[in-house]
Amino acid sequence: MGFKRNLILAGISLFILTIILFNFKWPLNFTFGDHHSEVKSAEQVAPTSDPSNSTPTPALTPDNQDKPKLSEFPKEGIPVLMYHSISTIPGNTLGVPVKQFTEEMEWLHRQNYHSLSLEEFYQALANGTPVPEKPILLTFDDGYSDNYNDAWPILRQYGFRATFFITTNSVGPGMMNWDQLNDLARQGNSIGSHTVNHLDLATLSDKQQKSELTNSKQELEKNLGISEIALCFPSGRYNKTTLDLMPELGYKLGFTTQPGKVHLGDDLLTLKRVRISGGMSLASFRELFP
């Protein structure tokens, strides 16, 4: 009798348990030790965010910066900064390390400096065209490949354009190539001549000088589709012949290595620049802009 009652109670309990399990939809296909089904279930409930769907913060480029207020040519002059390689060169201050260059561009951006193109710079000097408040011209000599690979991304990040003076016989391996120079020009940068072979112009004959200035200008114009207006003297060396040839060949601006800012009324063919040396502290850099 007791056995029969226990059997009936067990049957009733099993029936109740079956109903409970059915109502809660027991995951009958669950396999112990298989975590893939758990991961899939979690993703379906709370999917992770996809970085590719997020909207990136736009870089500070000349295209998306607010247009600066225009003003007259500053009485204190416009600084023309002179750089060469943006790299660490032991024992050679022509190389400015990337970290130093980044800090300098960041500081100029915070101080609301606005970079000029060569054409804008020329129009301001020759015709009194208004310039942005706190204007600056950023120049790079020789055409090192790091100007494109390292300097340009930093310049673009902080909304600056620059002028790159190119020695045409050096275009290629180890230096910037024509594709890179075309890309720089398309993005609003200026390209200037640094002659064909980077020779001391003051030691060349009139014929040799004319060849250096003519051929470099023609090569840049042919490969880049630009109108070349500026010459940067290799090592800052030139003579009267150089200055006589420049207007004849179509050069409107000449850049030296003489220190100082450019003022309205300066000789357009012998413009001064401010050399930036590798190893210069940020405090020393700031002192250049009183």
Side-chain angles (χ1 to χ4, degrees):
M1 185 71 179
F3 174 77
K4 184 184 289 187
R5 184 179 62 186
N6 290 339
L7 187 60
I8 293 171
L9 291 174
I12 294 172
S13 298
L14 182 61
F15 177 73
I16 294 172
L17 180 61
T18 301
I19 293 175
I20 293 172
L21 292 177
F22 180 79
N23 288 335
F24 278 94
K25 297 182 180 179
W26 179 265
L28 298 178
N29 62 347
F30 179 81
T31 303
F32 290 100
D34 182 2
H35 299 291
H36 295 290
S37 59
E38 292 178 298
V39 172
K40 182 178 180 181
S41 175
E43 289 176 346
Q44 290 171 340
V45 173
T48 57
S49 60
D50 182 359
S52 64
N53 291 331
S54 60
T55 303
T57 302
L60 295 169
T61 66
D63 293 333
N64 62 25
Q65 275 189 313
D66 292 335
K67 289 189 178 297
K69 180 180 177 182
L70 297 180
S71 62
E72 296 180 351
F73 201 101
K75 293 181 180 180
E76 66 274 16
I78 294 179
V80 180
L81 302 193
M82 174 175 51
Y83 288 96
H84 289 79
S85 175
I86 303 304
S87 65
T88 301
I89 306 177
N92 190 334
T93 59
L94 288 185
V96 172
V98 171
K99 183 176 182 294
Q100 175 186 335
F101 182 72
T102 302
E103 291 174 346
E104 290 166 356
M105 294 304 105
E106 181 183 16
W107 184 84
L108 289 173
H109 174 73
R110 289 201 314 267
Q111 300 302 311
N112 295 317
Y113 276 90
H114 293 87
S115 57
L116 302 174
S117 69
L118 274 178
E119 183 62 29
E120 291 168 340
F121 191 65
Y122 169 73
Q123 291 298 333
L125 283 167
N127 301 315
T129 303
V131 293
E133 291 184 329
K134 305 186 81 168
I136 193 169
L137 187 69
L138 303 168
T139 68
F140 294 78
D141 292 7
D142 302 330
Y144 295 97
S145 59
D146 54 56
N147 289 181
Y148 181 83
N149 296 325
D150 298 308
W152 172 232
I154 297 166
L155 289 163
R156 184 173 54 192
Q157 177 183 356
Y158 292 108
F160 293 129
R161 296 168 294 172
T163 294
F164 300 89
F165 290 114
I166 304 304
T167 303
T168 53
N169 262 7
S170 295
V171 173
M175 308 294 273
M176 287 191 283
N177 58 43
W178 291 116
D179 287 341
Q180 292 170 330
L181 292 171
N182 267 290
D183 189 39
L184 288 174
R186 281 194 300 267
Q187 297 192 65
N189 297 285
S190 303
I191 310 297
S193 169
H194 206 32
T195 74
V196 176
N197 296 297
H198 203 280
L199 302 175
D200 182 344
L201 293 175
T203 66
L204 302 182
S205 68
D206 293 5
K207 183 178 179 180
Q208 288 173 316
Q209 282 207 54
K210 187 170 185 177
S211 175
E212 286 285 326
L213 272 58
T214 300
N215 293 339
S216 63
K217 187 175 190 293
Q218 291 178 347
E219 192 76 2
L220 292 170
E221 291 179 339
K222 179 184 73 173
N223 284 281
L224 303 177
I226 62 175
S227 179
E228 185 57 74
I229 65 170
L231 172 68
C232 175
F233 309 122
S235 303
R237 298 275 295 163
Y238 63 94
N239 59 17
K240 183 179 183 300
T241 298
T242 317
L243 302 182
D244 289 341
L245 283 170
M246 289 174 66
E248 175 187 328
L249 299 176
Y251 289 102
K252 299 177 181 178
L253 298 172
F255 291 86
T256 72
T257 57
Q258 292 298 310
K261 295 181 181 180
V262 174
H263 297 81
L264 203 58
D266 284 353
D267 184 349
L268 299 188
L269 300 184
T270 57
L271 299 169
K272 298 176 180 179
R273 292 191 290 171
V274 180
R275 180 189 294 272
I276 307 301
S277 301
M280 174 184 287
S281 68
L282 185 58
S284 297
F285 181 82
R286 293 197 300 260
E287 290 176 359
L288 300 173
F289 307 89

